[in-house]
Structures are given as C-alpha cells and as structure tokens.
C-alpha cells in the first residue's frame, strides 16, 4: 500500500513538472515568433541567427533541470486542461513579446533609451530575451514549493553566459548603420556594464509583472474551468471528496510508518 501511494505521489509530481514545462515552452516559442517576425516586418532588423540559436540552447540547458525540481501535489485528482494551458501560455508569450518590444522601442529614443554609454543592439535584446525566458520557468512552476538547487544553479549558469555574451559582444554585429553611431559603433560589439545592469533590472521588472498576471489568471474561475466544461457540480464535489480521502490516506500512512519504526526500535 505504501509503495502504491508513493507511486501516485511520484506520478502527480511528474505531471506538475510536465505541465509547467509545457506552459513555459509554448510561451517561449510564441515570444520568439511574435517578436522576431514583427521586428523584421516593422523595422527590417532582427537578432542574428547565431544568437537565436543560443537563446534556444540556453532555454534547453536551463529547463533540463526541471526534472529535478521540487513539485507539489494537488489536493484533487489532476488532469490535462489543455484549453487552460493554451490560454495562459498565449497570454504569457504575448506579454513577453510586448516587453521585448518596449526595450527595442527605447533604442530609437534621442539618447538610445536603456543604453548608458555604448552597446550592441543585438546583444542587448539577446540578453533581455534570454533572462526573461529563463526566469519564466520560475513563474510557470508555481509558488507552492521552493525551486530545487539544481534548477536555480542551471538557470544562474546560463544567465551568466548570456551576460558575458552581451558584455563582450560575442557573435554580435558591430556598428549597425540603422541606429545611432555614437551608441552602436562600440568596440567589437561590446556593451558597457551599466547598460547590462539596466537590462537585468528591466528583466526582473518584466518577470515580476508576468508572475502577477500568472497568479491572477489562476485565480479566475473561468480560467480554472477551461477544459472542464463537460463536468457538472456533482463531479467536482466527488473529486473534492476523493482529494480529501487521498490526503487522509497519506497522513494515515505517515502515522503508521512512524509507529512501525518506533515499534522496531523498541523491540531491538
């Protein structure tokens, strides 16, 4: 019985990891597709393909650690609510694309917006995209449990790499003629440290807003009911009862295990 209960708990944890990863992945793809397509159409400027490849690679390296993340267990039976997943993921992806466009738009201001001294147009956008996409996994995983050390270290590692890319202009274009020369003809496509700090601060702000939106969406009844239209109130009532029984069973098994351990210690 204990083995069966442990199997159920493990399954639910795997399910939560898969659901958070699917939401993250859909939002990430929409973010890149919307921003890259609109930037090419509107300004005829985009990020170099080399950097786009590294954005995807960094996202994959970070999310591999999701398999070791601390996942919570739902109090009621879990299910794939695909409509809910799609609605939330699309909203997050659109918000991420809008955030990237905001920082893109500031680059055309009189003093080139976020750039303090000098910088590379492509590397600044690359860093903002990499940071916000990496941190998105902290949002979609939920706040019921703390992230595992493996996940934190993996994301911190790719964030450091993305920052080094921006600072030293790795794989960046030098002196984009479509933008202001006094800011974009930087040596070897480098970006000054003050601008990098500003991009980090902006990305943190974007992530906080995204987290607030995600939290609000999961509190709306119409969102939580998506994918459950064929269920009536009686079904939900039964699911709640089953969820309470599952919790009670876990507590009883925990008490029994402790008692058996105590008996074994006393008899040896």
């Amino acid at each position: 019985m204990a083995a069966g209960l442990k199997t159920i708990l493990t399954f639910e944890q795997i399910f939560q990891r898969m659901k958070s990863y699917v939401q993250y992945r859909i939002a990430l793809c929409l973010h890149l597709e919307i921003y890259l397509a609109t930037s090419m159409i509107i300004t005829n400027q985009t990020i170099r393909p080399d950097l786009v490849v590294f954005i995807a690679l960094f996202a994959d390296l970070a999310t591999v650690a999701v398999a070791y993340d601390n996942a919570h267990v739902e109090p009621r039976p879990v299910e794939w609510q695909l409509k809910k997943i799609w609605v939330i993921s699309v909203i997050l992806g659109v918000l991420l694309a809008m955030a990237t466009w905001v920082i893109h738009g500031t680059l055309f201001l009189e003093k080139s917006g976020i750039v303090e001294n000098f910088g590379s147009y492509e590397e600044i956008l690359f860093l903002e995209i990499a940071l916000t996409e990496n941190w998105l996994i902290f949002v979609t995983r939920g706040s019921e449990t703390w992230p595992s050390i493996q996940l934190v270290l993996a994301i911190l590692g790719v964030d450091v790499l993305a920052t080094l890319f921006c600072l030293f202009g790795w794989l960046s274009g030098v002196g984009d003629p479509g933008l202001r020369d006094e800011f974009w003809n930087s040596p070897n496509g480098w970006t000054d440290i003050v601008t990098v700090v500003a991009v980090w601060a902006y990305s943190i702000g974007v992530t906080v807003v995204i987290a607030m939106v995600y939290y609000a969406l999961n509190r709306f009844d119409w969102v939580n009911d998506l994918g459950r239209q064929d269920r009536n109130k009686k079904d939900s009532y039964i699911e709640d009862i089953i969820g309470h029984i599952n919790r009670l069973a876990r507590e009883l098994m925990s008490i029994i295990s402790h008692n058996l351990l105590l008996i074994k210690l006393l008899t040896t």
Side-chain angles (χ1 to χ4, degrees), residues 136-180:
L136 181 65
I137 192 63
F138 290 132
V139 176
T140 59
R141 68 177 300 278
S143 58
E144 290 82 1
T145 59
W146 287 97
S148 66
I149 188 64
Q150 294 94 331
L151 182 62
V152 173
L153 291 178
I155 292 179
L156 179 62
V158 295
D159 287 346
V160 170
L161 282 176
T163 302
L164 293 176
F165 267 70
C166 186
L167 279 172
F168 299 108
W170 297 342
L171 301 179
S172 69
V174 181
D176 191 330
L179 297 172
R180 303 178 189 279

Side-chain angles (χ1 to χ4, degrees), residues 35-36 44-52 55 100 103-104 107 115 119-130 162 165-167 169-177 179 183-184 186 188-191 199:
Y35 171 71
L36 294 177
N44 196 29
Q45 293 170 333
T46 187
I47 302 175
R48 291 170 60 90
D50 315 55
L51 292 175
V52 175
I55 288 175
T100 303
I103 198 172
H104 186 162
L107 299 177
V115 182
S120 168
Y121 156 83
E122 295 173 339
E123 295 288 355
I124 289 173
L125 294 175
F126 165 80
L127 179 60
E128 189 273 341
I129 292 173
F165 267 70
C166 186
L167 279 172
W170 297 342
L171 301 179
S172 69
V174 181
D176 191 330
L179 297 172
F183 290 100
W184 304 110
S186 58
N188 299 319
W190 289 16
T191 301
V199 174

Side-chain angles (χ1 to χ4, degrees), residues 189-205:
W190 289 16
T191 301
D192 70 293
I193 186 65
V194 181
T195 299
V196 169
V197 172
V199 174
W200 267 75
Y202 176 80
S203 301
I204 291 174

Side-chain angles (χ1 to χ4, degrees), residues 149-250:
I149 188 64
Q150 294 94 331
L151 182 62
V152 173
L153 291 178
I155 292 179
L156 179 62
V158 295
D159 287 346
V160 170
L161 282 176
T163 302
L164 293 176
F165 267 70
C166 186
L167 279 172
F168 299 108
W170 297 342
L171 301 179
S172 69
V174 181
D176 191 330
L179 297 172
R180 303 178 189 279
D181 292 340
E182 62 269 25
F183 290 100
W184 304 110
N185 285 334
S186 58
N188 299 319
W190 289 16
T191 301
D192 70 293
I193 186 65
V194 181
T195 299
V196 169
V197 172
V199 174
W200 267 75
Y202 176 80
S203 301
I204 291 174
V206 170
T207 304
V208 170
V209 172
I210 294 291
M212 293 171 63
V213 172
Y214 182 81
Y215 178 85
L217 287 173
N218 281 281
R219 293 300 178 274
F220 291 146
D221 290 337
W222 69 271
V223 176
N224 288 323
D225 291 337
L226 289 174
R228 289 181 176 174
Q229 289 86 345
D230 57 337
R231 295 173 176 245
N232 53 38
K233 293 182 179 179
K234 184 178 179 181
D235 294 331
S236 299
Y237 179 70
I238 293 174
E239 283 188 351
D240 291 337
I241 293 177
I242 294 174
H244 290 305
I245 293 175
N246 286 336
R247 287 201 303 273
L248 180 60
R250 289 197 293 267

Side-chain angles (χ1 to χ4, degrees), residues 15-46:
F15 176 86
Q16 293 301 328
R17 295 188 186 107
M18 291 175 62
K19 187 172 71 171
S20 64
Y21 177 78
V22 169
Q23 286 182 324
Y24 163 81
R25 204 61 180 172
I26 294 175
L28 181 151
C29 293
L30 288 175
H31 176 199
L32 281 178
E33 291 170 2
I34 293 173
Y35 171 71
L36 294 177
T38 53
S39 65
M40 287 187 287
I41 294 172
I42 297 174
T43 65
N44 196 29
Q45 293 170 333
T46 187

Side-chain angles (χ1 to χ4, degrees), residues 251-268:
E251 292 174 0
L252 288 175
M253 288 303 302
S254 178
I255 294 173
I256 292 172
S257 298
H258 286 302
N259 289 337
L260 290 176
L261 179 61
L262 180 60
I263 293 173
K264 185 177 180 180
L265 291 174
L266 292 175
T267 56
T268 56

